[in-house]
Amino acid sequence: MKIKISQLLIILLISNAATALNFNTNEQVLQWKTQKSIVKVERLDNSYYKLTLWKLPNTVKDSPDIILDDGIFTYDGKKKASGYRFNSGDLSYLCAKFQDRNALVIIKNGKIISDEEAQEFSTQDNSKTQESKIDRWRSLPIKEVALALVAIVIIILVIRFRKK
């Protein structure tokens, strides 16, 4: 199968547009405070979760003590509990939501070594709303926006000329 130059150009332009529009869309799932730490879990673009943990007295403005990617969502219907599990060597970190409480549970080799009750915690100013899609567009560099728009226009023109 031969690929025409116009098809290759379209593929390259679509690729550039996709790259330009691929902004960080991590969504915060929870942010908790325990007696010993601050815990944040975010949903990543690849459907996994990211754990960021700060040991107190550090704050979220400091460098985190632990960052773990590739976390998974878990659910136990019998216990009516859900949570996010992250593994690091022989340690597992579980941000668990039980019916009556939230907890950061740390497991080592199958044994619970820490079970800290967690409270909802926010560092965001409630008067500020989350960034809208338009604000995200505004924050993109002009070059990427221009490339994305050029790619869209070329795709539309190629589709129109093919119909004729």
Side-chain angles (χ1 to χ4, degrees):
M1 176 173 94
K2 261 188 170 178
I3 296 179
K4 295 179 183 176
I5 301 261
S6 62
Q7 291 172 325
L8 185 59
L9 180 63
I10 290 171
I11 291 168
L12 287 171
L13 287 171
I14 291 172
S15 172
N16 283 340
T19 301
L21 298 176
N22 183 21
F23 11 149
N24 182 3
T25 57
N26 292 359
E27 174 189 346
Q28 184 171 308
V29 176
L30 64 83
Q31 186 161 324
W32 290 346
K33 189 172 187 176
T34 71
Q35 278 188 319
K36 298 178 185 173
S37 58
I38 296 171
V39 180
K40 182 169 74 169
V41 174
E42 296 172 283
R43 180 180 300 116
L44 303 176
D45 291 336
N46 61 4
S47 298
Y48 284 96
Y49 295 87
K50 174 182 175 180
L51 170 74
T52 310
L53 186 140
W54 296 263
K55 292 178 183 173
L56 294 176
N58 292 335
T59 69
V60 295
K61 293 180 182 177
D62 297 314
S63 293
D65 295 293
I66 298 171
I67 298 176
L68 299 174
D69 292 324
D70 297 334
I72 59 169
F73 176 78
T74 61
Y75 178 76
D76 184 342
K78 290 181 182 178
K79 294 181 182 176
K80 295 186 180 175
S82 63
Y84 305 91
R85 179 180 292 272
F86 303 87
N87 296 317
S88 175
D90 58 352
L91 289 175
S92 290
Y93 295 82
L94 178 63
C95 297
K97 294 181 175 187
F98 299 103
Q99 252 184 333
D100 59 340
R101 70 186 187 106
N102 298 328
L104 172 62
V105 180
I106 302 173
I107 303 164
K108 183 174 185 174
N109 296 325
K111 286 187 169 183
I112 295 174
I113 61 171
S114 178
D115 183 345
E116 301 176 45
E117 191 156 324
Q119 302 297 321
E120 297 290 332
F121 172 70
S122 177
T123 58
Q124 296 176 345
D125 180 357
N126 292 334
S127 65
K128 294 180 182 176
T129 58
Q130 274 194 325
E131 224 181 348
S132 70
K133 289 183 180 182
I134 292 172
D135 291 333
R136 287 183 184 179
W137 268 96
R138 287 181 186 149
S139 68
L140 286 174
I142 299 283
K143 179 181 172 187
E144 277 86 8
V145 174
L147 280 172
L149 292 174
V150 167
I152 291 168
V153 168
I154 290 175
I155 291 167
I156 291 170
L157 290 173
V158 168
I159 292 170
R160 275 193 152 176
F161 284 113
R162 283 195 172 174
K163 286 182 180 178
K164 291 183 180 180

